[in-house]
Amino acid sequence: MPAPAAAPARTGAPASPAPPCGIRFDDVTVAYGKHGGHGANTVLDSFDLTVEPGEVMALLGPSGSGKTTALRAVAGFVRPVRGRVLIGGRDVTDLPPYQRGIGMVVQQYALFPHMKVAENVAFGLRAQKAPRDGIPGRVAEALEMTGMAGYADRHPRELSGGQQQRVALARALAIRPRVLLLDEPLSALDARLRSGMLAELARLHRELPDVTILYVTHDQVEALTLADRIAVLDNARLRDCGTPQQLYRSPRTAFTASFVGPPTCCR
């Protein structure tokens, strides 16, 4: 497939529309079945964690550890049976997802195959009833930030996996979220594309320092490369939390020491 014409030089990130905000998990428990009572399956247990404004926090752990459940609690897709979720100091536990001011990217991209790239990126803005005359500029801005400005008229089937993930990221950024949730966003990519996307995510964070990022992964390299701090989960509970250097040099639990392991790229 021939490459599109080169995109214009990036002009930098837009000004943040609101002050940066953090995330607070206050004794959050999520359980399924039996209305959270006896016999329920607890998938996140008494989870306490503070994500500072503008911080990249990775939730790291094996499958079934509770990390995706924690992210879904922030998104509003699951309701805790106990505890609260706060964004920017505001209790959002009972708010629907569209009222939380968040963007989200999942591992399977979730692009609409019948829509062109520009239409996919505009979807969230239209759902939020953004002013029509401002949507094209916001779409162009998000595509430029993710290096996809030359692909606006393509359909998802005409893109590689890495390009589709960039479009999904552009769609999340177009609404200018205060909080960006990334759920295993690179797991479907091969090693070469994953490395490139990690570099792109790091660059985007430098360009958008006011956006708080919660990044779910089971891959230690991704967490060590991208995160300011890492929360390690296992068996539905928080086991450790600290900077990549702290978790490697001074892990508080045997599980952290065994799961994080020696870093191949620790900042």
Side-chain angles (χ1 to χ4, degrees):
M1 183 184 299
R10 292 172 185 157
T11 56
S16 177
C21 66
I23 304 168
R24 170 71 181 148
F25 295 90
D26 180 17
D27 192 33
V28 172
T29 294
V30 177
Y32 299 123
K34 302 283 187 178
H35 304 288
H38 181 70
N41 177 29
T42 299
V43 292
L44 190 65
D45 191 8
S46 302
F47 189 60
D48 272 303
L49 183 70
T50 297
V51 185
E52 299 296 338
E55 182 177 35
V56 180
M57 174 70 79
L59 302 182
L60 176 67
S63 297
S65 61
K67 56 190 187 297
T68 293
T69 299
L71 181 138
R72 289 171 61 83
V74 177
F77 298 148
V78 297
R79 175 72 167 80
V81 297
R82 186 177 73 242
R84 302 181 303 157
V85 177
L86 298 94
I87 298 178
R90 178 190 185 197
D91 187 345
V92 300
T93 310
D94 295 320
L95 289 182
Y98 66 87
Q99 292 184 3
R100 298 192 181 201
I102 58 173
M104 186 169 181
V105 179
V106 298
Q107 55 184 304
Q108 296 302 327
Y109 321 140
L111 300 178
F112 298 108
H114 63 288
M115 292 183 180
K116 293 182 177 180
V117 164
E119 296 170 322
N120 267 283
V121 176
F123 181 83
L125 293 167
R126 298 188 191 283
Q128 290 187 343
K129 302 190 185 306
R132 283 190 175 185
D133 57 355
I135 289 178
R138 297 270 289 273
V139 169
E141 178 183 81
L143 288 174
E144 184 177 332
M145 289 178 63
T146 55
M148 292 298 292
Y151 296 81
D153 291 328
R154 302 278 182 92
H155 284 88
R157 64 179 177 272
E158 300 175 277
L159 306 178
S160 69
Q163 290 167 341
Q164 290 183 44
Q165 191 64 299
R166 287 170 184 259
V167 174
L169 187 58
R171 181 172 60 188
L173 293 173
I175 64 171
R176 295 176 181 168
R178 297 185 299 164
V179 170
L180 180 61
L181 307 178
L182 304 176
D183 186 10
E184 306 252 17
L186 310 184
S187 63
L189 305 180
D190 63 33
R192 181 181 60 83
L193 289 175
R194 188 180 302 121
S195 177
M197 279 301 298
L198 267 177
E200 282 297 301
L201 289 171
R203 177 189 61 78
L204 280 169
H205 181 53
R206 292 193 298 270
E207 292 187 4
L208 299 168
D210 289 344
V211 177
T212 303
I213 299 177
L214 193 61
Y215 188 100
V216 165
T217 182
H218 65 274
D219 188 286
Q220 298 89 333
V221 172
E222 289 181 19
L224 292 167
T225 300
L226 191 64
D228 297 310
R229 287 191 299 151
I230 301 170
V232 180
L233 289 85
D234 182 46
N235 197 27
R237 297 186 69 90
L238 179 65
R239 301 300 180 185
D240 210 339
C241 185
T243 67
Q245 295 88 345
Q246 288 169 340
L247 294 185
Y248 174 63
R249 295 171 183 161
S250 305
R252 292 189 297 177
T253 68
F255 176 80
T256 300
S258 63
F259 191 78
V260 173
T264 58
C265 49
C266 182
R267 294 190 305 178

